[in-house]
Amino acid sequence: MTTQFQHARDGETTDAMRRVAERENVSPEFVREEVAAGHAVIPANHNHASLDPMIIGEAFSTKVNANIGNSEETSSREEELKKLHMAIHHGADTVMDLSTGQNLDDVREANVRYSPVPVGTVPIYEAVKQVDDPDDITHELLLDVIRKQAEQGVDYMTIHAGVLMEHLPLTDGRKTGIVSRGGSILAKWMEENAMQNPLYVHFEEICEVFAEYDVTFSLGDGLRPGCIADAGDEAQYAELETLGELVGIARDHGVQAMVEGPGHVPLDMVAEQVEREREVCDGAPFYLLGPLVTDIAPGYDHITSAIGATEAARAGAAMLCYVTPKEHLGLPDAEDVRDGLAAYRIAAHAGDVAAGLPGARDWDDALSEARYAFDWRRQFDLALDPERAQDYHDQTLPGDNYKEARFCSMCGVEFCSMRIDQDARDADGEMEHIEDETDLDDSSAAEVNLPPVGTHDTSRVPELPDFLREIHDADARSGASADD
Ligand code: SF4
């Protein structure tokens, strides 16, 4: 069967390209050109029937991936489907099933069947589960697992084919060695067997399987830095050169390819990393994990990495793999997944806005207009996480009457700057030009030491809820004031 890449190169616009164009608000021809150039990928396995096609590429909105999957401790298919649902509900553009527990086939098949977004996997994880010792993995086993997962409808796979024997000594002086799971397994395999990486040696056979089902390569960075001290070292960039070579081989086989990136990178090096990948890998979409810009904040690594991810998106990264607050510490729970996805959707969008992606700022402008209009319901609807936005608002002002209030509890009625600003403007929304400066000595305002500005219509301010009135009255009784 023909891949999206082959169709694009043949000048054919597919249904998937048309759907993607609709979602991205661009022309189908533009989508086709980007795919044909290898600068964008549409991960869409022929066997993934429930897929709503999407595109990953620098010229399109930055996408966010969420990792899901079971472990030895949690293995039920239902639990995994709940995670899938939650990830999509909170805005994941793709999901990676990183299951390493039981019932891997059941879980994977269910995820593909019920997922409208592309599903990615790391096949070497399943290969490891099928042998007593990871050093016994064979290339036949790897190819069997890859073929089976392709048949099951997996849309993209992380293949760590760029880690070579000759790269391994370059990691000797690192602070944190090899931190990629796939990279460390393969490095040990090469050390024990004194043989080259089987994924590299048999890469063309993998290409043939991928071409048959239209599976997209996510070329893994097995030697990515695990701390900012190791960022941009010889090992990382040597592997990147190999990944560039593999992108070319994949394209020669009509297969789509994107490239994975770090990891941990100080902020001042993030853009350089994106630019280098673009150059070495001929514009193949760059898919980054983070990167974390500092290593000092375990427990907050959704924030440390969202900072790097924002800069990466601004510089041209095509997809970001989310990091949750539990990174380096434990398996994320539902709330961690929600927080991680929110952090990364913010990073992706902020990067798009800063990069000037056409239409990206429309969302910000719509929300800002709703905010200035005190249209709280529209603000919630437009919010990245509507449920959280409304929940936070309702914690202090729960009543329906507060959904049109010209203030919230952050500054309060008296100090609501947007309300004060609106009251200072005329009907055209302009500040009146004062021809004659008020003589404060003659002003009644001088007597009470207030500026001569208008006050808002207090009759339109809703009543305080009882519990706030009690606090207000108690403050008044104790003589508390804003100056306290
Ligand atoms: S009270 Fe403050 S935070 Fe709330 S709407 Fe007014 S200006 Fe905005």
Side-chain angles (χ1 to χ4, degrees), residues 342-354:
Y344 270 70
R345 289 180 65 211
I346 294 166
H349 179 71
D352 287 346
V353 169

Side-chain angles (χ1 to χ4, degrees), residues 86-230:
M86 183 179 59
I88 295 169
H89 177 70
H90 288 297
D93 296 298
T94 74
V95 293
M96 289 198 79
D97 178 356
L98 303 186
S99 293
T100 54
Q102 306 301 314
N103 308 320
L104 293 180
D105 285 327
D106 276 0
V107 169
R108 189 178 311 111
E109 281 172 1
N111 279 336
V112 171
R113 184 174 314 129
Y114 294 105
S115 176
V117 304
V119 175
T121 58
V122 187
I124 197 167
Y125 295 174
E126 184 177 358
V128 167
K129 298 291 290 180
Q130 294 191 12
V131 290
D132 292 330
D133 182 341
D135 297 338
D136 296 338
I137 289 174
T138 63
H139 79 270
E140 290 92 348
L141 173 60
L142 287 167
L143 278 162
D144 285 348
V145 169
I146 289 168
R147 175 171 286 281
K148 181 188 66 178
Q149 295 193 1
E151 280 172 4
Q152 289 172 327
V154 171
D155 301 288
Y156 68 98
M157 295 186 203
T158 296
I159 302 292
H160 298 92
V163 190
L164 302 186
M165 292 176 82
E166 48 269 42
H167 299 157
L168 302 183
L170 301 175
T171 64
D172 287 349
R174 282 182 159 186
K175 275 199 190 302
T176 55
I178 299 172
V179 298
S180 149
R181 277 189 274 186
S184 61
I185 291 163
L186 285 162
K188 183 158 181 297
W189 187 97
M190 287 186 266
E191 285 288 288
E192 297 297 328
N193 293 288
M195 288 167 70
Q196 186 56 282
N197 180 348
L199 294 171
Y200 178 78
V201 173
H202 298 276
F203 189 73
E204 295 197 74
E205 290 169 65
I206 303 172
C207 287
E208 285 162 19
V209 176
F210 277 27
E212 192 176 336
Y213 297 90
D214 200 359
V215 178
T216 298
F217 274 109
S218 187
L219 292 167
D221 55 336
L223 298 183
R224 66 169 176 263
C227 61
I228 61 171
D230 294 343

Side-chain angles (χ1 to χ4, degrees), residues 17 78 110 117 193 213 257 310 427 440 481:
M17 292 174 205
E78 287 66 32
V117 304
N193 293 288
Y213 297 90
T310 307
L440 274 180
S481 75

Side-chain angles (χ1 to χ4, degrees), residues 379-396:
Q379 273 195 70
F380 304 148
D381 285 347
L382 286 169
L384 180 114
D385 185 341
E387 291 152 27
R388 178 161 294 181
Q390 173 147 11
D391 180 46
Y392 280 8
H393 179 266
D394 288 358
Q395 283 176 16
T396 49

Side-chain angles (χ1 to χ4, degrees), residues 374 376 407-408 410-412 416-418:
F374 294 107
W376 293 99
F407 70 98
C408 73
M410 182 174 165
C411 325
C416 176
S417 55
M418 291 201 300

